[in-house]
Amino acid sequence: MTSKKRVAYFYHEEVGNFYYGAGHPMKPHRIRMAHSLILNYGLYKKMEIYRPLLVNDEKMTMFHSDDYVHFLQSVTPDNVTDYNRELQRYNMDVDCPVFDGLFKFCQMYTGGSMGGARKLNQGNADICINWAGGLHHAKKSEASGFCYINDIVLAILELLNYHARVLYIDIDIHHGDGVEEAFYNTDRVMTASFHKYGEYFPGTGGVKDIGVNKGKKYSINFPLMDGIDDQSYQSIFKPIMKKIMETFAPGAVVLQCGADSLAGDRLGCFNLSLKGHAACVEYMKSFNVPLLILGGGGYTVRNVARCWANETGVLLDKKLSEDIPYNEYYEYYGPDFNLHITPSNMENHNTKSYMENTKIELFECLNSLPKPSVQFKQTPGRITEDKDDMKEPDPDTRISQADADKMVTDDREYYEDDKDQDRPTADMQIST
């Protein structure tokens, strides 16, 4: 059945140009690869495509501290030695390096998330997608885990201007600590995170971490161990999300779709297939609540692109061909050039008894939540059409040489060792 949902898609053609540094696992180039698949599968024909505005510092300080944002604006690779004290203060290290265009990168990915939230608030879309967003580790006054500005928190704050309650869901393999921390003492935002726990970054998100003060019982964490597969994941995700939707009754949902929970991720240890990961997206779509879809982690770039293209198809009710369409990054998907990936035979360390007992504990927490408060009495300010996000031209039309030059792949994106499974090899056969 053809979807009647209105889907808005945010993408900036320069987002793939940014480069964290040699050997760094975070590669913005993956977003361009996903976009290329989305175009070549023809999905753009079913969405409104927008180029996000670069968010200014004033909007960033709705959450982040003034001095931290000013630092991000000011520091560059050329003057970084002048900021040694600030680098330590703001946790800027090998995980969160200073690179060319850092602040513009933050403006760009945050613009897509805030722009999507505004579209939902305006009632101009039912689903908004920003695969460049989802940087869930950034804190109020420090960078963390490859994340600098927390676009998710800023998007949720935007949604709270219009909705009484917002639900945040995180299916990245890492705990969504930055978002949880930001809303840990409020009952207007519930956070739900399904993540690897125990000697694993960031080390937070235990089952008993449920919030404080007014926000007590509004933080839901399901800590997981290595090797969780599709069946096990869905056995906990669906019942818990069903219960949350019943008890919390959010006006809008934000879903962070980190792809590092897939099998074979360079930094991950879960065993989900594309279908298992996408099942979470499809399930949340079924509630017919305004939905903001964001990216996140994911470090085997060819699988990240596969994942987010596939989930764009799911949101549009369009089943994608198993054969990857020819595109400018076609060689990355060899040797089989298939859309879906095969999970490994790794052991699932999440026993049925552990999963059931944890689910029961979380159900008890949710069962004791107070009934949802009365509908939002405060009348939001007049929401006008946002002119910040520019409608993209039809991708079928010819682009200028200047625009094409912006999309050239930076050779530095490749790892320089034998572990780089994403680097095309000479023996890969490409058929057209």
Side-chain angles (χ1 to χ4, degrees):
M1 185 177 73
T2 303
S3 172
K4 295 182 180 180
K5 289 185 169 60
R6 298 162 301 161
V7 179
Y9 171 82
F10 287 78
Y11 176 76
H12 199 293
E13 71 279 0
E14 295 181 32
V15 73
N17 293 350
F18 299 99
Y19 177 63
Y20 274 61
H24 198 291
M26 176 61 103
K27 296 183 176 295
H29 179 61
R30 68 207 175 120
I31 304 158
R32 181 176 288 160
M33 289 176 60
H35 180 70
S36 181
L37 284 182
I38 288 165
L39 291 183
N40 285 282
Y41 269 115
L43 297 176
Y44 67 91
K45 298 175 184 177
K46 298 176 175 291
M47 306 185 286
E48 297 287 333
I49 302 179
Y50 295 91
R51 180 190 291 116
L53 173 75
L54 302 183
V55 170
N56 62 32
D57 57 341
E58 183 179 353
K59 289 183 178 178
M60 290 179 180
T61 56
M62 290 168 54
F63 170 60
H64 294 284
S65 65
D66 292 2
D67 55 351
Y68 174 56
V69 172
H70 178 69
F71 164 75
L72 291 177
Q73 277 183 296
S74 305
V75 70
T76 69
D78 293 332
N79 66 17
V80 68
T81 55
D82 298 334
Y83 290 94
N84 286 331
R85 182 179 298 178
E86 288 85 353
L87 291 172
Q88 186 173 0
R89 177 182 178 186
Y90 299 125
N91 196 36
M92 302 283 282
D93 55 12
V94 291
D95 278 354
C96 300
V98 175
F99 57 84
D100 285 332
L102 169 59
F103 190 68
K104 186 176 183 181
F105 177 60
C106 295
Q107 292 179 295
M108 203 173 283
Y109 72 73
T110 303
S113 300
M114 295 187 75
R118 286 192 296 270
K119 287 286 177 199
L120 295 176
N121 283 351
Q122 293 159 1
N124 292 334
D126 303 305
I127 299 170
C128 290
I129 303 169
N130 176 34
W131 294 125
L135 278 71
H136 57 172
H137 295 306
K139 309 294 173 54
K140 182 181 180 68
S141 297
E142 67 176 50
S144 178
F146 315 158
C147 308
Y148 302 88
I149 293 295
N150 199 314
D151 62 291
I152 306 169
V153 171
L154 291 167
I156 291 173
L157 291 173
E158 191 77 37
L159 291 168
L160 288 172
N161 287 328
Y162 194 77
H163 298 282
R165 293 173 299 278
V166 175
L167 170 63
Y168 171 68
I169 310 163
D170 195 312
I171 59 172
D172 193 291
I173 195 172
H174 300 96
H175 178 230
D177 59 333
V179 184
E180 180 184 274
E181 182 179 303
F183 300 109
Y184 207 54
N185 62 355
T186 179
D187 61 357
R188 291 191 60 196
V189 177
M190 177 173 281
T191 61
S193 183
F194 301 79
H195 52 270
K196 161 73 174 171
Y197 185 70
E199 296 185 0
Y200 198 76
F201 183 86
T204 52
V207 70
K208 297 190 182 301
D209 297 334
I210 59 172
V212 295
N213 302 326
K214 202 172 181 182
K216 190 173 184 180
K217 300 183 180 180
Y218 288 88
S219 291
I220 300 298
N221 286 295
F222 204 118
L224 295 164
M225 290 167 275
D226 291 9
I228 191 164
D229 55 25
D230 291 356
Q231 184 177 0
S232 297
Y233 203 94
Q234 293 308 311
S235 74
I236 58 171
F237 183 85
K238 289 184 176 179
I240 288 173
M241 297 321 304
K242 182 175 186 291
K243 187 68 174 178
I244 287 175
M245 294 299 287
E246 291 171 353
T247 57
F248 185 61
V253 173
V254 179
L255 176 56
Q256 196 264 24
C257 301
D260 47 7
S261 45
L262 291 174
D265 186 79
R266 196 182 303 278
L267 300 185
C269 54
F270 283 179
N271 202 24
L272 299 183
S273 71
L274 258 64
K275 291 178 181 177
H277 198 273
C280 300
V281 176
E282 188 165 25
Y283 188 64
M284 295 317 302
K285 174 175 171 275
S286 72
F287 288 96
N288 298 313
V289 172
L291 182 59
L292 178 60
I293 298 289
L294 304 176
Y299 307 102
T300 299
V301 296
R302 66 186 186 280
N303 291 345
V304 177
R306 284 174 161 118
C307 179
W308 292 345
N310 181 59
E311 288 170 7
T312 303
V314 166
L315 292 164
L316 294 166
D317 285 337
K318 180 172 173 59
K319 184 176 175 59
L320 304 188
S321 167
E322 177 63 7
D323 296 324
I324 294 280
Y326 188 77
N327 64 88
E328 58 266 52
Y329 308 111
Y330 189 68
E331 65 271 20
Y332 279 71
Y333 304 103
D336 56 13
F337 305 100
N338 291 336
L339 174 63
H340 288 277
I341 61 174
T342 303
S344 74
N345 60 356
M346 71 185 298
E347 182 182 355
N348 183 356
H349 291 272
N350 300 274
T351 64
K352 288 185 178 180
S353 61
Y354 169 75
M355 305 270 280
E356 191 62 29
N357 290 337
T358 306
K359 185 165 61 175
I360 289 170
E361 184 170 351
L362 293 176
F363 268 31
E364 289 173 352
C365 177
L366 291 167
N367 283 331
S368 61
L369 275 181
K371 291 290 184 184
S373 57
V374 294
Q375 289 300 309
F376 203 23
K377 294 297 185 183
Q378 176 185 343
T379 303
R382 182 171 177 266
I383 300 176
T384 57
E385 180 66 32
D386 186 12
K387 298 178 182 178
D388 294 341
D389 302 303
M390 296 188 297
K391 184 84 174 290
E392 284 287 87
D394 187 340
D396 284 334
T397 61
R398 191 176 184 87
I399 64 172
S400 68
Q401 185 60 48
D403 286 339
D405 289 343
K406 294 176 181 176
M407 302 179 192
V408 175
T409 303
D410 190 330
D411 285 339
R412 298 175 302 174
E413 285 294 350
Y414 299 119
Y415 287 97
E416 296 177 356
D417 59 35
D418 295 336
K419 295 181 180 178
D420 184 14
Q421 300 170 1
D422 292 317
R423 183 167 190 162
T425 58
D427 58 351
M428 286 185 180
Q429 298 299 312
I430 302 175
S431 57
T432 59

